């Protein structure tokens, strides 16, 4: 049986009628920019994520960019960011003329810790950007303590983690600002690109981000700073509003599958596969990705074995950001961030979308167990 890495059509079918009805009304009104759906979605995401303010953006990347611009990050500034993440986390820092200062990861979670952040702080550090990779929170109590000690703002990259929880809070309830992505493969995915910048409390900061979204303009044709065109479309907002009531159910579906995988594959030895672990207290890993580590240099062979059987998998991420050609000028050396470099060689993400059937899960798990000669 073929098992794709991800199938969006079944989930999107569940909202199709509602979206078509909404689209029909949208065409009738023909008010496509910053209308009632964007406003409604902002209120609903604020409530869902527990943030005081939310500004709907054109993508997760733009949501991160606007967050950094809201903090006034620019030339000569440093932003601490993980090396093992999607490119956008560091790309936005560099686009503003600031320097990404790459940090290593905690091998148990793939995420940053307070200690790793602390070691990277310099007098030029102007922001700290933990990434909640794969759906699990980074060490936010540790990172927030370091940030408070040094008086440095925190931007959470929760692009993979809307609805993830830990220490009794949600992604977005720790830092000053948070970016979410609604790229179609996220647990809450739009029908195209979309994102959101949430502001935990500071109303003036929220107003600035809102202004940055429209070329720094307030009121019309009065430009206080050079912003961007970062607006979310009304259509994407209406799709996301149709889906949001189902999000917790989808998270639970992913969690159920993850729990099943963990039980089914627990016989794999530590020198074969390391399974993901949910280590955050009072946590909810939302498994945007179910990512295993394949030991002994056999990751690519296991991926080929799965592919031969029609089973999809993905490598997030094969190259660390400190080793990307565009950041060569920063002068990082191979071996400098060893845990990140090891993760890039070992990780393999497996299908975990909520609509998977028991037979599909068994197909994936038995193919992996079979590769290691296990029943
Ligand atoms: C960790 C992380 N940061 C940033 C982004 C950027 O989001 P988008 O693709 O919506 O621009 C993504 C998503 O792809 C991501 O996974």
């Amino acid at each position: 049986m073929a098992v794709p890495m991800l199938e969006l059509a079944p989930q999107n079918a569940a909202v199709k009628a509602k979206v078509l009805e909404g689209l029909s009304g949208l065409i009738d009104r023909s008010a496509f920019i910053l209308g009632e759906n964007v406003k409604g979605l902002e209120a609903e995401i604020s409530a869902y994520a527990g943030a005081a303010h939310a500004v709907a953006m054109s993508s997760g990347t733009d949501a991160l960019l606007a967050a950094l611009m809201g903090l006034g990050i620019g030339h000569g500034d440093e932003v601490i960011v993980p090396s093992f993440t999607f490119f956008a986390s560091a790309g936005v820092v560099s686009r503003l003329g600031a320097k990404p200062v790459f940090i290593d990861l905690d091998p148990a979670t793939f995420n940053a810790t307070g200690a790793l952040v602390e070691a990277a702080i310099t007098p030029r550090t102007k922001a700290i950007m933990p990434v909640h990779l794969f759906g699990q929170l980074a060490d936010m109590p540790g990172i927030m303590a370091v940030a408070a000690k040094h008086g440095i703002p925190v931007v959470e990259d929760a692009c993979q983690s809307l609805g993830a929880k830990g220490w009794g809070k949600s992604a977005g309830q720790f830092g000053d600002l948070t970016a979410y992505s609604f790229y179609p493969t996220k647990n809450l995915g739009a029908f195209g690109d979309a994102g959101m910048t949430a502001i935990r409390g500071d109303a003036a900061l929220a107003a600035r981000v809102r202004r940055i979204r429209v070329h720094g303009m307030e009121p019309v044709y009065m430009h206080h700073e050079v912003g961007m065109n970062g607006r979310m479309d009304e259509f994407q907002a209406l799709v996301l509003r149709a889906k949001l009531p189902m999000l917790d159910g989808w998270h639970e579906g992913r969690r159920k599958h993850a729990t099943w995988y963990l039980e089914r594959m627990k016989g794999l030895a530590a020198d074969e596969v390391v399974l993901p672990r949910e280590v955050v207290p009072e946590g909810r890993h939302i498994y945007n990705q179910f990512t295993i580590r394949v030991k002994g240099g056999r990751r690519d062979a296991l991926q080929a074995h799965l592919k031969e059987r029609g089973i999809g998998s993905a490598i997030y991420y094969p190259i660390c950001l400190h080793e990307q050609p565009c950041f060569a000028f920063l002068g990082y050396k191979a071996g400098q961030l060893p845990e990140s470099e090891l993760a890039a060689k070992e990780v393999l993400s497996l299908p975990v979308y909520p609509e998977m059937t028991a037979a599909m899960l068994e197909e994936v798990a038995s193919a992996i167990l079979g590769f290691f000669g296990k029943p």
Side-chain angles (χ1 to χ4, degrees):
M1 180 203 307
V3 183
M5 177 61 193
L6 178 64
E7 242 186 328
L8 294 175
Q11 185 169 105
N12 290 335
V15 294
K16 187 172 172 183
K18 199 163 179 195
V19 168
L20 288 176
E21 188 192 317
L23 179 60
S24 168
L26 183 58
I27 294 170
D28 290 346
R29 289 192 304 282
S30 285
F32 299 112
I33 303 292
L34 298 184
E36 63 184 47
N37 283 297
V38 164
K39 215 167 165 210
L41 181 70
E42 287 177 343
E44 287 157 17
I45 295 288
S46 297
Y48 182 83
H53 311 276
V55 182
M57 302 292 303
S58 40
S59 67
T61 303
D62 285 343
L64 280 174
L65 190 64
L68 294 180
M69 289 170 82
L71 294 174
I73 305 293
H75 284 276
D77 296 338
E78 292 180 358
V79 178
I80 296 173
V81 58
S83 177
F84 188 68
T85 173
F86 179 61
F87 180 78
S89 315
V92 291
V93 174
S94 216
R95 262 192 60 187
L96 292 173
K99 179 179 166 190
V101 173
F102 292 114
I103 56 170
D104 215 352
L105 55 81
D106 173 356
T109 61
F110 299 110
N111 281 330
T113 65
L116 290 165
V117 168
E118 174 97 72
I121 287 179
T122 78
R124 289 177 300 282
T125 308
K126 290 288 154 31
I128 299 164
M129 188 195 293
V131 179
H132 308 310
L133 207 64
F134 303 144
Q136 179 162 240
L137 293 192
D139 166 28
M140 292 314 292
I143 292 166
M144 293 312 297
V146 172
K149 183 169 129 195
H150 295 274
I152 299 170
V154 171
V155 176
E156 294 177 57
D157 179 342
C159 283
Q160 301 181 4
S161 294
L162 173 65
K165 293 187 200 294
W167 300 276
K169 295 190 196 179
S170 294
Q173 288 188 305
F174 298 89
D176 300 84
L177 301 114
T178 301
Y180 303 103
S181 166
F182 306 119
Y183 183 77
T185 63
K186 305 304 188 207
N187 290 23
L188 179 63
F191 287 2
D193 279 307
M196 184 80 68
T197 308
I199 300 89
R200 181 164 51 86
D202 184 337
L205 184 57
R208 185 172 182 193
V209 170
R210 202 169 281 286
R211 200 173 72 184
I212 284 167
R213 176 175 66 177
V214 285
H215 296 295
M217 183 171 79
E218 168 83 65
V220 72
Y221 301 129
M222 174 77 80
H223 299 269
H224 300 268
E225 62 184 312
V226 177
M228 62 203 284
N229 174 0
R231 299 177 299 244
M232 183 193 289
D233 284 346
E234 270 292 288
F235 175 63
Q236 299 305 343
L238 93 80
V239 170
L240 293 165
R241 292 185 82 191
K243 287 187 167 194
L244 185 58
M246 286 174 237
L247 181 59
D248 281 326
W250 291 332
H251 288 332
E252 287 317 310
R254 287 170 180 270
R255 289 177 55 73
K256 208 171 113 231
H257 294 343
T259 306
W260 186 90
Y261 271 145
L262 294 174
E263 179 62 27
R264 180 74 176 90
M265 296 195 279
K266 69 180 182 204
L268 289 166
D271 62 354
E272 292 171 333
V273 163
V274 177
L275 297 168
R277 283 198 289 147
E278 206 171 331
V279 299
V280 171
E282 300 169 79
R284 175 165 79 163
H285 191 324
I286 59 153
Y287 290 101
N288 180 243
Q289 300 300 337
F290 183 92
T291 303
I292 63 173
R293 284 175 178 264
V294 187
K295 307 302 281 187
R298 302 187 71 193
R299 189 261 314 270
D300 293 350
L302 174 60
Q303 188 176 36
H305 173 85
L306 295 176
K307 193 171 174 206
E308 272 167 32
R309 282 154 186 77
I311 298 170
S313 63
I315 297 170
Y316 305 122
Y317 297 92
I319 306 173
C320 295
L321 299 187
H322 72 280
E323 297 185 299
Q324 292 291 347
C326 68
F327 292 134
F329 74 97
L330 294 170
Y332 286 88
K333 303 269 178 298
Q336 208 169 331
L337 300 176
E339 290 294 351
S340 304
E341 292 167 35
L342 185 63
K345 292 189 180 81
E346 292 183 342
V347 286
L348 189 65
S349 296
L350 305 178
V352 74
Y353 48 99
E355 296 76 17
M356 286 176 77
T357 62
M360 292 164 92
L361 290 163
E362 176 57 32
E363 189 80 9
V364 178
S366 60
I368 293 171
L369 290 161
F371 178 81
F372 290 101
K374 305 223 153 120

